[in-house]
């Protein structure tokens, strides 16, 4: 177990070495996973002209079967939908509207996520944690990073880390156990009106489960209508 006392903080950089070490360990553990599953419970603010910030929520069951396999099953305010990736094709299916779309994508998970986010604006849950450069990217924009100590989230002992950047503040809760996987994350966007927040908790982590290949193949249900996915540039 890592030391619970915060490391020395530089008067100039304000970067806590213990906090960095915890983030590095979390990132390294995720990077070594062959497969995993997790449930992400997200709450986020949407700006309403009349009401100000309105809270929305989604629950997403995520299954990763290696560098080219992903299934995301989502339920919440954005509707019921599935994202299925088999290393060649990404399929999107809306259960509410019974329509689907498919597009050819890069053959690795991170490249696919980047491609779909930049071209279509699709955001994938827990994606940031799976980037090999997650900690370096975080530190590149961080002005303050501190280890606040330990606390409990959902009955689980966690290390609590907080940081600031030019346009946001953020907090991570990392499990104080052998795996050091993320348990909770909060981001406050300080550069946006009313400072909207994003909060997610991560439960039911399964490490290196055996996931059948059929889980990552999509077959359109009877009567489902095929639609065209519109790039962001066209929408704008």
């Amino acid at each position: 177990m890592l030391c619970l006392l915060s490391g020395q903080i530089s008067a100039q950089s304000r970067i806590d070495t213990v906090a960095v070490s915890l983030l590095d360990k979390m990132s390294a553990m995720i990077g070594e996973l062959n497969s995993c599953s997790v449930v992400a419970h997200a709450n986020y603010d949407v700006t309403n002209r009349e009401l100000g910030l309105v809270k929305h929520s989604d629950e997403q069951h995520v299954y990763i079967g290696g560098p080219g396999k992903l299934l995301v099953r989502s339920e919440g305010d954005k509707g019921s939908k599935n994202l299925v990736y088999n290393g060649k094709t990404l399929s999107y299916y809306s259960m509410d509207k019974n329509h689907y779309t498919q597009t050819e994508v890069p053959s690795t998970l991170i490249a696919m996520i980047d491609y779909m986010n930049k071209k279509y604006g699709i955001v994938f849950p827990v994606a940031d944690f799976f980037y090999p450069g997650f900690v370096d990217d975080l530190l590149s924009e961080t002005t303050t990073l501190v280890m606040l100590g330990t606390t409990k989230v959902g009955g689980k002992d966690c290390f609590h880390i907080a940081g600031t950047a030019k346009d946001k503040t953020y907090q991570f809760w990392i499990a104080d156990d052998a795996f050091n996987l993320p348990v909770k994350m909060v981001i406050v966007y300080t550069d946006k009106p009313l400072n909207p927040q994003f909060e997610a908790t991560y439960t039911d982590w399964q490490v290196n489960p055996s996931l059948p290949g059929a889980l990552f193949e999509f077959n359109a249900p009877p009567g489902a209508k095929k639609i065209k996915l519109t790039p962001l540039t066209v929408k704008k």
Side-chain angles (χ1 to χ4, degrees):
M1 183 183 296
L2 292 172
C3 176
L4 300 185
L5 297 178
S6 177
Q8 294 298 315
I9 303 173
S10 165
Q12 293 182 340
S13 62
R14 293 277 295 167
I15 301 298
D16 186 329
T17 56
V18 172
V20 174
S21 177
L22 283 166
L23 289 170
D24 279 336
K25 190 170 183 181
M26 177 191 72
S27 183
M29 180 60 68
I30 290 175
E32 292 180 6
L33 295 177
N34 295 316
S35 63
C36 70
S37 65
V38 63
V39 181
H41 310 264
N43 294 290
Y44 51 93
D45 293 322
V46 175
T47 303
N48 180 285
R49 183 173 298 180
E50 180 182 3
L51 302 174
L53 296 180
V54 177
K55 192 74 69 178
H56 290 264
S57 62
D58 293 293
E59 180 176 287
Q60 298 165 319
H61 294 247
V62 182
Y63 304 85
I64 297 176
K69 306 288 184 182
L70 172 70
L71 169 64
V72 180
R73 298 176 61 87
S74 299
E75 295 276 353
D77 293 350
K78 292 182 179 179
S80 300
K81 57 189 179 182
N82 290 350
L83 288 168
V84 187
Y85 169 60
N86 63 6
K88 298 178 181 179
T89 303
L90 181 78
S91 303
Y92 165 88
Y93 173 63
S94 168
M95 288 171 273
D96 301 313
K97 300 178 181 179
N98 196 28
H99 65 211
Y100 72 98
T101 186
Q102 293 179 298
T103 184
E104 293 185 0
V105 290
S107 59
T108 62
L109 183 63
I110 298 301
M112 181 277 291
I113 289 173
D114 279 341
Y115 174 81
M116 295 303 296
N117 183 255
K118 292 175 182 176
K119 187 168 184 178
Y120 299 106
I122 293 178
V123 177
F124 294 81
V126 304
D128 287 343
F129 296 123
F130 285 85
Y131 277 81
F134 167 70
V135 178
D136 289 338
D137 291 342
L138 187 71
L139 292 176
S140 69
E141 61 177 15
T142 292
T143 54
T144 303
L145 181 68
V146 295
M147 164 70 169
L148 298 179
T150 59
T151 186
K152 286 185 179 290
V153 177
K156 180 180 286 292
D157 291 326
C158 295
F159 299 108
H160 187 189
I161 294 171
T164 63
K166 183 175 68 173
D167 58 349
K168 66 177 73 71
T169 66
Y170 59 84
Q171 298 178 67
F172 296 110
W173 288 259
I174 299 172
D176 180 7
D177 59 19
F179 293 101
N180 296 129
L181 294 171
V183 175
K184 184 177 178 180
M185 176 176 69
V186 172
I187 302 174
V188 180
Y189 296 96
T190 55
D191 65 330
K192 298 182 182 296
L194 304 179
N195 295 344
Q197 297 186 26
F198 172 86
E199 177 181 327
T201 56
Y202 308 103
T203 63
D204 300 316
W205 277 101
Q206 299 294 317
V207 174
N208 294 331
S210 178
L211 299 173
L215 197 66
F216 307 101
E217 297 295 338
F218 174 76
N219 295 304
K225 179 182 178 182
K226 188 171 185 179
I227 62 172
K228 184 177 180 180
L229 196 59
T230 306
L232 280 177
T233 51
V234 174
K235 289 182 180 179
K236 290 180 180 179

